[in-house]
Each structure stands twice: as C-alpha cells, then as structure tokens.
Amino acid sequence: AGLWRAKLSPRDRDFRGRTEGHEREIVEGDLAEIGSCDAVLADFTTPDEGTAMECWYAHAAGKPVVAYTGGTPPHPWTVYVADSLCAGLEDAVEALRG
C-alpha cells in the first residue's frame, strides 16, 4: 500500500459525444489501463455500464476495487466487486491508502 505505478483517468482518453466507431479503441484502452494499475477507484454515484464492466474486469484480475457511491444505495454487483465501499470520495481515497 502507498505505492502507485500510475494515476489514470478515463477522461485522459475522452470520447464523450463521439464513441460511435471507436468502441474497440475505447474498450481495449480501458482494459490496458486497468491492467497497468494497482487498484481501481470507481465513481458509482450514478449508474454507468462502463464503470460496472471496468470494475468487474479489475475484480476478475484480482485488483482491489474501491467504490464510492455519494450516498446512493449500491447495486448488489457493486457490493460484490468492491473490496471497499464508501459513501464519499475522501473515504474512498483513504481506503486506497489502506
């Protein structure tokens, strides 16, 4: 804990409003980034298919997943894949630091 190889954000490769025709690039890029990370910090404040799939992939790869919900009730799948579930972002960051 405490050592991180990289800080990545899905916004680094921003395809909002132009995903059509870039599906393979988006998914393969997401999978590569997850593969290069030590852990995943996931925003589950609103439902999102992409975040759910990314967390499942990280969970299946044995990577820690920390999810924050903003206080919204978590979906059962979120509870299942998250090693730590937090209402707030600050608590989630602290959970990553372990």
Side-chain angles (χ1 to χ4, degrees):
L3 296 176
W4 303 95
R5 290 191 308 192
K7 285 185 180 179
L8 301 170
S9 170
R11 297 194 198 297
D12 292 343
R13 295 178 307 103
D14 191 354
F15 286 92
R16 286 177 289 182
R18 55 183 191 92
T19 58
E20 189 172 334
H22 297 279
E23 294 84 0
R24 180 177 295 278
E25 181 181 357
I26 291 167
V27 173
E28 289 179 359
D30 289 350
L31 296 178
E33 287 180 348
I34 292 165
S36 74
C37 289
D38 296 322
V40 171
L41 174 62
D43 177 352
F44 276 104
T45 57
T46 57
D48 182 83
E49 292 171 338
T51 303
M53 295 299 293
E54 291 159 355
C55 288
W56 176 257
Y57 181 79
H59 169 79
K63 301 206 181 249
V65 175
V66 175
Y68 67 98
T69 66
T72 59
H75 188 279
W77 280 82
T78 304
V79 174
Y80 183 82
V81 302
D83 295 285
S84 201
L85 192 61
C86 305
L89 177 58
E90 296 80 14
D91 291 336
V93 170
E94 192 58 37
L96 278 174
R97 292 184 178 139

